[in-house]
Structures are given as structure tokens and as C-alpha cells.
Amino acid sequence: MSKDTLSAGQKIEEELTWQYPHIAKEAPEQKELADAFAQGYKKFLDEAKIERECVCFAVAALEKAGYTVFDPKKEYKQGDKVYSVNRGKSIIATTWGKKDICEGVRINGAHIDSPRLDLKPNPLYERKELAYFKTHYYGGIRKYQWVTIPLAMHGVMIKKSGEVVHVNIGEDENDPVLYISDLLPHLSAKQNQRTLADGIRGEELNIILGSLPFEDKEVKEPFKLQVLSILHEKYGVTERDFARAELEVVPATKARDVGLDRSMIGGYGQDDKICAYTALMAEIECKNPLYTSVTILTDKEEIGSMGNTGLDSGYVYDYLCYLAQNKGADVKEVCAHSACLSADVNAAYDPTFSDVYEENNSCYFNHGCVLTKYTGARGKGGSSDASAEFMAKVIDIMDKAGVYWQIGELGAVDVGGGGTIAKFVAEMNIDVVDLGVPIISMHSPFELSSKLDLYNTYLAFKAKCSSYVFAK
């Protein structure tokens, strides 16, 4: 309809009201760009399923791009690139900017841990001629989703000698996979009386490892020993070494295009590796920024960011202290003038389960990255709640950079809720807001995202790392 044919009310309506546009309708040229960007992302999902692998991936990518290990005693100039690894499970990368660091740094922070099953410290046992691992789930999972799917085991075991053994079983097409059983419908009448949340219980998430005995009739536990002998042959480890191990069980599936139009990506761990990858790529492409950039890929978010590799510890603040000291600045002044995008996903509107969303304040596929002003639950509890002033600054940056963005909440009021690393960044007196990708089936073994949203999240982080100025 031509503007000349609009009524007076329609003209006012067009001027005053707003709807977040569908990217494919308004910018169809982005479809090809988003698909190309998604190829590297899918490879990342397959290669970096656990936090240690994410750090290894990041180190390789950063060093290829010219980053070196940060030395607090070395002098740095605009454009110099450094990184620092924390205990092999979190990493921070920086590109030094032109402005005095007292004017603040620009932070993108994502987490690289995902919901999964961890092996217990004494996991191996046999029962009725089957060998098993006992697990303890990590993060918010729906336990029934983890049974009868192919599983892989990743992680490290430390031998008594101190040698670190990297374990990866189930990813290669020639590897066996692991498995958790469920009841057949014919025998599940009693189980069917359980609530959905209790349909599979934590102590029922037992991983089947083998059904053949060790060939010696004098052995007390031949099925357990057979598994141990296989692990010893492959990795040189013993049962005692499980006490010095971090072994994580994840889906053995690969990331795939989803939909006949190939517009979506399905894969494990997209919360929050989709934000980690986009932030990392934006950091690497940052050349000579106005402000010093800081990109954080952190651990432990799914269990509250506790521990010395999570944001509820001092390692990020200590790193900012080192940056400040390197330039003879006061870290308190640096933090007060800094800004952060807490890079985390949000729940995309799912029409199948529409009752848990509030449509006007939900995020949608193909409408761009989602700004989440607050998270939390029961009256915004546990949220930092970004100020109107800071929201205005972030929106202005994205508008200037041509980024497609939208606003979203994590479900309807009092239906649920969640948290991110934003509150821990805010505790350092840093302005922060959540920005990430809408996800369907979040925390499941096979999450769903949109390629166009992925691409625009990358553009948002790239803009944040660039020379766009926050007016103070």
C-alpha cells in the first residue's frame, strides 16, 4: 500500500507502532551469509562438546589469529592480541584498544558448559551380567530425554604418574556408543503413574557399558573387569584413576541442518556454545578497536557459576586488575566505565507449548539476536536488570551496525525463570545486559536454533568489539 493512500490514522499508526521484522523478508540477502557462517559453527559444536574442548578450540583459533599468552609485565599497544586460560576450562581473550583503559573495556561473556551427565567418582559396577557406569546429572536436564539415545564420553583422567589422559569415546563413526535403557511400553504401567519430571529418576541414569565377561572363571566381577581391561588397553588407566577424573557423558549426535529449507541448526550444547562461538569469532576479527575488548568463555554457569572456573569467583576481576595495572590504571575506574554483553540464549517462542510464553514479550526465530533486559524468577529474583540508559546505548550500537535484534523474556511471569552470568558481572560495577540467540528445546540433547539469528548475534558482538562509542 502506498503511503499516499494511507488514512491519517494509518500514517500515525505506521509512525508510532513497531514490530520486529522477519529477517528473511526484510533482508533476504542474509540467508546465504548466515548459511555460510553456520558451517563453521556446526563444526565447532561437533569438536567442542565439553568445556575443556571449547578452550582447546579457542586457543587454536586465537593463536592462528596471532594471539599470545598475556604477560602482565609486557607493554602492549592498540591492536595487540592476548589470551589467558584458567585451569583448562575457561579462557579470556583481549584486543588492546586505542582509548585509555581508564575509559573502560568492552566485554562479551559467554559460558561453554552445558547440561550433561557426569560420571560419579566411583562409577563402575556390574549387575546381573551387565557392566554399568553410575552418573550424576549436571545442570538442568529433563532426565527422560537422556534415555535410549546414543551417548559419548569425553574428558580427562589423571594417572598416578601425573600423566593426563584425554578420553573421547563414541564420536568417531567406528567407535561404540554408550546407552541408558528405559522400560518397554508392555512393562511400564507402574512407571506411567509417575509424573513427567519423575519418569526417569537420577539414580536410574545408569550407562550400559558391556555384556561380555572377562575370560577367566576365577574372576569375581568378570563383566566389570572386561570393561576395565578395555579402558586399560586403550588409555592405560585403572579403576583407581576414576577418582582423579572428569568424565562427561554427552549425546553422540552431530550438529545438522534442520528443516526442508535448511534454515535451522540442530545440535547438542547450543546453550551456550552458540554465543561462545559468535563472541569468539567477533573477538578474532576485531583489529584495532577504540576500546580494549575482553571476550570471556567461562565455565559452571549451568550450576550457578560456582567454582574457580565460573564467574562467581575472582578470576575475571583479577584479569581486569592485571589489564589495569599493565597500563597504570585503577581497576575500579576501569570497571565503572566498562560495558558487557552477557552472551546467553533465551527461550524462543514455541507455538506447540504457547501457554508458557507471553507472546508480546517473547523472542522468535528469524527476528535476530535477543536482548533480555532481565532474567530471574518470582519477581526478577536473581537478575541484574539492565538500566534504561544502558539498554538505549546497546540498542543504538546495534541500530548503527545494522544488526537485527528483538526483545524477549524467559517465559511468562511466575511460569519459570533462570539466570545468567550477568549478575556476577554487575557485581564488579559494570553495566551489563543479556544478549544471545533464541533457542527451541533448550537444555535438551538436541537443541534448535535459527541460522539468521546466529548470524545477527555474531554481528552484534562484532559491533560491540568495534569502535562504536558508549556515551558516558
Side-chain angles (χ1 to χ4, degrees):
M1 183 181 291
S2 169
K3 284 195 174 184
D4 295 333
T5 62
L6 295 176
S7 69
Q10 286 175 319
K11 289 178 181 179
I12 293 174
E13 182 180 48
E14 187 175 84
E15 180 182 353
L16 299 184
T17 63
W18 172 255
Q19 287 186 331
Y20 298 106
H22 192 291
I23 301 169
K25 295 178 180 179
E26 186 163 297
E29 69 279 1
Q30 280 201 9
K31 290 188 288 185
E32 187 174 344
L33 295 170
D35 184 72
F37 186 79
Q39 303 314 308
Y41 170 59
K42 287 185 291 184
K43 183 180 179 183
F44 170 70
L45 285 179
D46 291 343
E47 293 183 4
K49 288 191 173 181
I50 66 172
E51 62 279 9
R52 290 178 183 271
E53 293 167 350
C54 288
V55 170
C56 289
F57 183 100
V59 167
L62 291 167
E63 290 186 345
K64 184 178 179 181
Y67 287 72
T68 59
V69 176
F70 175 52
D71 181 354
K73 298 179 181 179
K74 184 178 177 180
E75 291 187 9
Y76 293 100
K77 63 183 185 301
Q78 183 187 21
D80 286 346
K81 292 175 171 289
V82 297
Y83 73 89
S84 176
V85 174
N86 177 22
R87 296 171 172 85
K89 295 195 287 184
S90 55
I91 185 170
I92 308 176
T94 290
T95 302
W96 289 90
K98 180 180 180 180
K99 281 185 171 288
D100 191 315
I101 201 168
C102 289
E103 297 189 46
V105 298
R106 299 296 174 256
I107 303 169
N108 290 335
H111 68 89
I112 51 178
D113 62 316
S114 298
R116 60 180 189 255
L117 304 178
D118 287 345
L119 293 197
K120 290 190 176 185
N122 295 309
L124 185 57
Y125 71 101
E126 71 170 64
R127 186 175 181 187
K128 297 299 181 181
E129 300 183 341
L130 288 174
Y132 289 93
F133 275 147
K134 294 293 293 184
T135 68
H136 192 137
Y137 64 92
Y138 172 98
I141 70 169
R142 307 193 76 180
K143 294 183 279 292
Y144 71 87
Q145 295 178 336
W146 287 75
V147 300
T148 70
I149 63 172
L151 299 169
M153 184 168 66
H154 298 236
V156 296
M157 299 182 76
I158 314 296
K159 295 183 182 180
K160 188 176 181 179
S161 65
E163 178 188 352
V164 179
V165 178
H166 294 271
V167 176
N168 188 317
I169 300 173
E171 297 294 352
D172 187 275
E173 62 180 13
N174 296 314
D175 279 354
V177 295
L178 308 180
Y179 184 85
I180 299 172
S181 64
D182 192 9
L183 275 174
L184 61 162
H186 313 70
L187 300 178
S188 62
K190 187 175 179 180
Q191 184 193 43
N192 290 343
Q193 302 307 309
R194 299 180 183 179
T195 63
L196 183 62
D198 198 41
I200 296 293
R201 294 166 178 157
E203 290 293 353
E204 294 171 344
L205 293 170
N206 301 317
I207 296 171
I208 297 176
L209 300 172
S211 63
L212 297 178
F214 190 84
E215 294 184 358
D216 186 333
K217 293 182 180 179
E218 303 303 316
V219 172
K220 292 181 180 179
E221 296 181 300
F223 298 89
K224 172 181 172 179
L225 186 60
Q226 178 68 2
V227 168
L228 276 173
S229 66
I230 293 170
L231 291 173
H232 185 265
E233 181 180 355
K234 186 175 179 65
Y235 295 112
V237 296
T238 69
E239 185 175 17
R240 189 179 184 187
D241 295 326
F242 283 111
R244 296 184 292 261
E246 287 182 358
L247 295 171
E248 305 171 14
V249 176
V250 299
T253 51
K254 303 296 184 184
R256 300 285 298 274
D257 286 349
V258 173
L260 298 183
D261 57 4
R262 295 182 176 271
S263 62
M264 297 166 285
I265 301 165
Y268 165 71
Q270 297 201 69
D271 175 13
D272 187 36
K273 295 178 181 68
I274 196 167
C275 294
Y277 182 77
T278 47
L280 179 64
M281 293 301 104
E283 168 65 45
I284 287 172
E285 293 181 23
C286 184
K287 301 305 180 186
N288 290 291
L290 193 60
Y291 293 94
T292 296
S293 72
V294 175
T295 297
I296 305 163
L297 306 185
T298 193
D299 185 24
K300 295 290 190 291
E301 191 274 346
E302 296 295 358
I303 56 171
S305 296
M306 311 302 179
N308 55 16
T309 55
L311 253 290
D312 192 18
S313 72
Y315 86 92
V316 170
Y317 185 75
D318 289 347
Y319 182 83
L320 295 176
C321 287
Y322 286 127
L323 293 184
Q325 291 168 7
N326 187 269
K327 297 296 183 182
D330 186 337
V331 69
K332 296 188 294 295
E333 187 175 4
V334 174
C335 289
H337 292 89
S338 293
C340 174
L341 293 181
S342 167
D344 211 340
V345 301
N346 201 334
Y349 183 85
D350 186 344
T352 301
F353 304 102
S354 59
D355 59 312
V356 299
Y357 299 88
E358 196 269 284
E359 293 185 8
N360 289 338
N361 288 283
S362 293
C363 53
Y364 293 80
F365 270 12
N366 299 316
H367 288 256
C369 58
V370 54
L371 268 172
T372 306
K373 185 178 186 294
Y374 50 82
T375 54
R378 298 175 300 282
K380 302 184 182 180
S383 174
S384 66
D385 202 350
S387 69
E389 292 85 353
F390 189 61
M391 290 289 289
K393 294 169 186 176
V394 173
I395 289 169
D396 183 57
I397 284 179
M398 290 193 292
D399 285 346
K400 288 179 178 178
V403 176
Y404 285 92
W405 59 274
Q406 57 184 312
I407 292 290
E409 284 187 327
L410 188 56
V413 175
D414 289 337
V415 169
T420 68
I421 66 170
K423 64 181 179 180
F424 303 109
V425 176
E427 286 175 359
M428 294 184 279
N429 192 29
I430 296 174
D431 281 328
V432 58
V433 67
D434 287 299
L435 184 147
V437 181
I439 297 288
I440 284 178
S441 301
M442 190 193 303
H443 281 213
S444 75
F446 199 76
E447 299 168 312
L448 193 64
S449 65
S450 153
K451 291 181 181 179
L452 287 168
D453 298 334
L454 163 76
Y455 182 64
N456 276 273
T457 302
Y458 154 72
L459 294 179
F461 295 150
K462 191 174 180 181
K464 186 71 168 9
C465 285
S466 73
S467 59
Y468 289 96
V469 179
F470 279 95
K472 280 287 181 184

